[in-house]
Amino acid sequence: MNTASAEGPGLLHRSGRWCARHAWRIVTLWVLLLAGLGAADHAWGGTFADSFSLPGTGAQTGADLIEAHTTGAGGTAAPLVLHTAGGTVAAHREAVAAAVAGLDRLPDVLSVADPLHTPGAVSPRGDTARLTVRFDGNPAGFDPSYLARVDAAVEPLRAEGVTVEYGEPLGQPASAGSADRVSEGIGLAVAVLVLLIGFGSVAAAGLPLLTAVLGLAVALGALGLLAGPFDFARASPTLAAMMGLGVGVDYALFLATRYRALLHAGAEPDEAVGRTVATSGRAVLVAAATVAMALGGLCASGVGFIGTLGIAAGLSVVVAAAASVTLTPALLGLLGRRVDRLHVRTPVAEPTGASDVWHRWALGVARRPWVSLTAGLLLLGILALPAASMRLGHVDAGAQSTARTDRRAYDLITEGFGPGANGPLTVVAQLDSGRISDPAGREDLAASLRRELTAVPGVASVTAPVTSADRALLLTTVTPATGPRDPATARLVHTLRDETVPHSLAGTGATGYVTGTAAAAQTFTDTLAATLPRIVGVVVAAAFLLLLTVFRSPLIALKAAVLNLFSIAAAYGVVVAVFQWGWGGALFGVSEPVPVESYVPMMMFAIVFGLSMDYEVFLLSRIREVWLDRRDNHLAVAAGIAATARVITCAALIMTSVFLAFLLSTNVAVKMLALGLGVSVVLDATVVRLLLVPASMYLFGRANWWLPERLDRLLPRLDPEGPAPASTTGPAPAPAREPGPEPDPVPTPVPLPGDRR
């Protein structure tokens, strides 16, 4: 029976109808919101820079001790690499001194270390030197115009033919600009093409794009404003744009398609808008809540960097959903019946007959559900195989394009000092009060520490330990024999941290820590790897409870969670094969195999799990509507697939194009996310939606809709509207219906042998 309330339209129905009738108020409010946030962002907005602070870890504690006990050790250090093609850097002593003085006068500079007066800063051949500058903030977030002042300061060196390259993190703003705007343009262009071909109507194609772009602009304005008081990673705006543009077009498209179907069935425009928001709008809110919840689950990692990425992406999803259920109804109200007036082909909406190709597909799956289920799972399993060999790590400047100055600086350091010089490790020994006042004891400890560190396999060199000015610390630098991305370097960090340093300081009263860029990156990777199972558990459990509450079916909620895990594993496998194994990585601008960036699997899980639920929610919402109206599982599954096939296919094409367009990004981690998300959307819209979901629902039959009475009483009811009534061909009981015209018809499937009713 239909569960629509006999008391009249519900809240969503009324709100949609109100937005349609007061369209100009809604449009004006969104325009004012955009202008206000844009102005506030310009006046008080912040910048985006990566911060990998990990309080409580040995790497962070060691860095904090160095800053507290060593003069000039605060801030963020960035190397400027000097290189001469012939001769030595020392031959340009006056130019080096002039550059050091010029850099020291720049704002935000705490200190500059003259390489000619710093031990170990000049390569053995003398043709390469590292000039280290310490900034009071992370230079990755500095305005690109700041680099013009750095260029001016090092001009005396370049005037004498000395090559100057900027290492990380200073080299990040100095490198080629982001391709995000190009990516967004490509995504929008593909969206226009898909919508025009898929639906024919210019207005129906333009409305989702307008809603998505306006919502994204509002979200980015809010994100920029939040970046003032809070630290957000450099990838935050890119991730927000990917998510906001993709789901924004999808959500508005689902509403516009349902509205046009209701118009074609004879509904009045205002009533059609109300019913659209009450049905497809409800599905949008459930889908957006699932995506936002999955992204919010990243905060459970306890890592601020990951949490801010989740917040940035979640913010864009929430704004996109808000725009879809307010701005889209307003624009539909303005268009009214003119929504199909301008068209490039005969406008089409949802299919309404058993002869539709998608309806016939659903019936074909019904005839062989075990074959369909096995084929789908086998395909996902094959794609997931490479994920078993996933190796996490940090993708540093050495994996970037040689067009970037930070990559060239990386290569010069490798040639001049060895690969390990790009990720030196600092061992910090915090002395007890007895050692602090005993010079002989400090010397013995320093000699013993250096001797044990030198004996560790994989160590290229160890500097003589030095005592801090207050004699509280012993500091020594360990240079690995391998580069930061090499698995051997990760093993060396673990050996030093867990075995060598504790053993060498045992019984001395001193406490040792291993810090430095490579140690911090490895600690970050270890922390995320340990946290990922908790994130998976939190997100899956929360999504299960939400779907259980909305669809009131334990089996449907469990099936959705399990199938999404399969699609996520397949997306992981593709990312590993392309980037870690190097199968086609050069096509995406990555010249050599690289480890999977440590935070990518966690981000991919949250995003893919949420987006997978998007299509699941839209499909299941239509299936459930028919089930509640007819109580026929086979009819419900076939009708749901037929009704949503065109819109989900178009939405998936658009979202895939948006994600894959971000492969143009200069950030390798963004490339990984773009490929993984694009692949996952394709798999969800094809393998999962066309094979696994219908096959499993056919096999489970009426058990799909089983809910124990006690659980039914415990669960809150998030369905105050009731489903939109679906008229069907053929005789059926006449349940109570909302006032107003009949909605779009539901196709009746051809009866199948052994049909379970």
Side-chain angles (χ1 to χ4, degrees), residues 139-496:
F142 288 178
D143 190 276
S145 62
Y146 187 87
L147 273 300
R149 307 182 71 172
V150 177
D151 289 339
V154 300
E155 180 56 31
L157 285 166
R158 288 175 171 155
E160 294 191 10
V162 178
T163 299
V164 182
E165 302 291 356
Y166 306 145
E168 287 187 318
L170 180 63
Q172 293 171 1
S175 300
S178 173
D180 291 356
R181 294 294 175 265
V182 176
S183 300
E184 292 165 11
I186 292 174
L188 288 173
V190 173
V192 171
L193 184 62
V194 169
L195 291 173
L196 287 177
I197 294 174
F199 297 95
S201 168
V202 174
L207 187 147
L209 297 178
L210 178 60
T211 302
V213 170
L214 184 58
L216 176 59
V218 169
L220 291 178
L223 182 60
L225 192 59
L226 288 173
F230 304 104
D231 294 329
F232 279 87
R234 285 188 304 126
S236 296
T238 301
L239 190 57
M242 291 170 63
M243 294 297 297
L245 195 57
V247 302
V249 173
D250 276 11
Y251 293 164
L253 175 59
F254 284 121
L255 268 69
T257 303
R258 192 63 176 270
Y259 170 76
R260 294 167 68 235
L262 290 169
L263 278 187
H264 293 176
E268 290 298 318
D270 287 357
E271 183 67 18
V273 172
R275 291 194 178 194
T276 294
V277 177
T279 53
S280 291
R282 172 182 172 275
V284 163
L285 293 178
V286 173
T290 308
V291 178
M293 182 179 60
L295 292 167
L298 293 173
C299 294
S301 67
V303 179
F305 173 85
I306 295 297
T308 58
L309 286 176
I311 291 171
L315 174 65
S316 68
V317 172
V318 170
V319 173
S324 296
V325 297
T326 57
L327 183 59
T328 299
L331 296 176
L332 290 173
L334 289 175
L335 289 171
R337 295 190 181 280
R338 299 187 300 273
V339 69
D340 286 334
R341 179 163 295 179
L342 296 175
H343 54 268
V344 295
R345 51 167 287 192
T346 302
V348 293
E350 295 176 349
T352 58
S355 62
D356 177 75
V357 62
W358 296 111
H359 195 278
R360 294 198 303 272
W361 172 272
L363 296 181
V365 173
R367 293 186 180 93
R368 298 177 181 83
W370 280 112
V371 174
S372 300
L373 185 66
T374 303
L377 292 177
L378 185 61
L379 176 58
L380 294 182
I382 291 173
L383 291 175
L385 285 176
S389 64
M390 181 185 293
R391 180 172 64 86
L392 300 180
H394 175 56
V395 182
D396 54 23
Q400 304 292 351
S401 166
T402 54
R404 294 175 52 125
T405 183
D406 48 357
R407 167 62 188 271
R408 295 194 296 270
Y410 186 100
D411 291 343
L412 287 174
I413 290 175
T414 299
E415 295 170 6
F417 300 91
N422 281 295
L425 307 172
T426 301
V427 175
V428 181
Q430 186 177 21
L431 306 178
D432 64 356
S433 56
R435 295 280 181 178
I436 290 175
S437 57
D438 180 11
R442 290 198 305 273
E443 291 179 5
D444 290 344
L445 179 59
S448 173
L449 179 62
R450 186 181 189 186
R451 185 168 54 252
E452 294 211 25
L453 291 174
T454 303
V456 176
V459 171
S461 64
V462 180
T463 62
V466 297
T467 307
S468 60
D470 59 1
R471 300 192 298 276
L473 305 177
L474 274 179
L475 304 171
T476 184
T477 299
V478 177
T479 302
T482 51
R485 287 181 285 117
D486 196 299
T489 302
R491 292 193 294 270
L492 176 61
V493 171
H494 289 139
T495 299
L496 295 180

Side-chain angles (χ1 to χ4, degrees), residues 418-640:
N422 281 295
L425 307 172
T426 301
V427 175
V428 181
Q430 186 177 21
L431 306 178
D432 64 356
S433 56
R435 295 280 181 178
I436 290 175
S437 57
D438 180 11
R442 290 198 305 273
E443 291 179 5
D444 290 344
L445 179 59
S448 173
L449 179 62
R450 186 181 189 186
R451 185 168 54 252
E452 294 211 25
L453 291 174
T454 303
V456 176
V459 171
S461 64
V462 180
T463 62
V466 297
T467 307
S468 60
D470 59 1
R471 300 192 298 276
L473 305 177
L474 274 179
L475 304 171
T476 184
T477 299
V478 177
T479 302
T482 51
R485 287 181 285 117
D486 196 299
T489 302
R491 292 193 294 270
L492 176 61
V493 171
H494 289 139
T495 299
L496 295 180
R497 184 184 63 193
D498 302 332
E499 300 175 17
T500 307
V501 172
H503 179 267
S504 62
L505 298 179
T508 66
T511 306
Y513 305 95
V514 180
T515 187
T517 304
Q522 188 58 48
T523 301
F524 186 76
T525 299
D526 295 341
T527 301
L528 294 186
T531 305
L532 183 58
R534 181 168 73 243
I535 298 296
V536 171
V538 168
V539 172
V540 171
F544 173 81
L545 291 176
L546 178 62
L547 293 179
L548 175 62
T549 304
V550 172
F551 293 106
R552 314 197 74 75
S553 166
L555 193 57
I556 283 180
L558 180 62
K559 173 185 63 65
V562 171
L563 292 184
N564 285 348
L565 292 178
F566 274 101
S567 63
I568 290 168
Y572 281 171
V574 173
V575 169
V576 169
V578 171
F579 293 97
Q580 184 178 312
W581 292 3
W583 291 5
L587 297 175
F588 306 121
V590 182
S591 58
E592 58 186 278
V594 296
V596 176
E597 181 66 50
S598 54
Y599 64 84
V600 164
M602 187 175 290
M603 293 300 304
M604 274 186 62
F605 171 78
I607 297 172
V608 170
F609 193 88
L611 292 180
S612 298
M613 288 297 185
D614 259 11
Y615 299 137
E616 187 89 3
V617 166
F618 287 117
L619 174 57
L620 290 176
S621 294
R622 295 307 299 271
I623 293 175
R624 183 170 180 265
E625 288 178 25
V626 182
W627 164 257
L628 291 176
D629 192 58
R630 296 294 299 272
R631 299 293 173 175
D632 186 319
N633 185 68
H634 272 60
L635 169 63
V637 174

Side-chain angles (χ1 to χ4, degrees), residues 10-21 26 273-274 277-278 325-326 329 721:
L11 177 61
L12 288 177
H13 189 130
R14 296 195 305 272
S15 68
R17 194 167 54 194
W18 188 92
C19 289
R21 292 172 177 174
I26 299 297
V273 172
V277 177
V325 297
T326 57
E721 308 287 334

Side-chain angles (χ1 to χ4, degrees), residues 709-721:
E709 290 185 7
R710 180 175 297 180
L711 182 58
D712 188 33
R713 291 193 297 269
L714 291 175
L715 291 174
R717 295 196 174 271
L718 302 182
D719 187 13
E721 308 287 334

